[in-house]
């Protein structure tokens, strides 16, 4: 390898190291109420759920704090599509069952 390729490789590795330092570790909830895939807004500690909107007099999708009121999707694809519709950073969690530790999916 010549000197210019070595310099490029070093720069790339420095960028990767900086990005790893900037990424904060997410603290996944210890358990969820049911089995399925949940949209989790990790910066707010909330889930995608349903809530009553007084002004519209109807039930709408909203951020909910209680995982029991979250929307549980049957597939990862359904949850991922729901994630795409929100500006707030979110991830998908998979709960294997009630009271079991969820897995961070994407």
């Amino acid at each position: 390898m010549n000197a210019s390729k070595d310099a490029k490789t070093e720069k790339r590795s420095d960028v990767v190291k900086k990005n790893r330092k900037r990424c904060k570790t997410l603290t996944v909830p210890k358990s969820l109420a049911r089995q399925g895939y949940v949209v989790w807004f990790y910066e707010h500690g909330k889930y995608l759920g349903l809530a009553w909107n007084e002004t519209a007099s109807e039930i709408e999708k909203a951020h909910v704090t209680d995982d029991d009121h979250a929307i549980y999707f049957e597939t990862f694809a359904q949850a991922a599509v729901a994630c795409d519709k929100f500006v707030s950073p979110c991830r998908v969690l998979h709960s294997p069952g009630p009271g079991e530790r969820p897995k961070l999916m994407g």
Side-chain angles (χ1 to χ4, degrees):
M1 222 181 240
N2 62 29
S4 65
K5 286 185 180 179
D6 288 339
K8 286 181 184 178
T9 304
E10 286 178 22
K11 286 180 184 178
R12 283 189 204 132
S13 66
D14 288 343
V15 170
V16 170
K17 288 176 185 176
K18 287 179 185 176
N19 286 338
R20 284 183 187 160
K21 288 179 183 178
R22 274 191 255 154
C23 292
K24 60 181 176 180
T25 304
L26 300 178
T27 305
V28 177
K30 293 185 182 194
S31 66
L32 294 174
R34 294 189 285 278
Q35 179 180 354
Y37 296 88
V38 175
V39 176
W40 175 50
F41 301 97
Y42 54 89
E43 288 186 352
H44 307 289
K46 296 184 178 186
Y47 307 93
L48 176 62
L50 299 172
W52 180 256
N53 182 338
E54 284 291 331
T55 57
S57 296
E58 63 184 16
I59 296 174
E60 295 180 342
K61 289 183 180 178
H63 293 88
V64 296
T65 54
D66 187 3
D67 63 295
D68 197 32
H69 295 113
I71 299 171
Y72 286 82
F73 296 95
E74 290 185 26
T75 65
F76 173 75
Q78 292 170 331
V81 168
C83 280
D84 288 341
K85 296 179 181 178
F86 291 95
V87 176
S88 183
C90 58
R91 301 294 295 267
V92 175
L93 298 176
H94 176 254
S95 174
E100 295 185 36
R101 186 163 187 91
K103 181 180 178 183
L104 186 62
M105 297 298 291

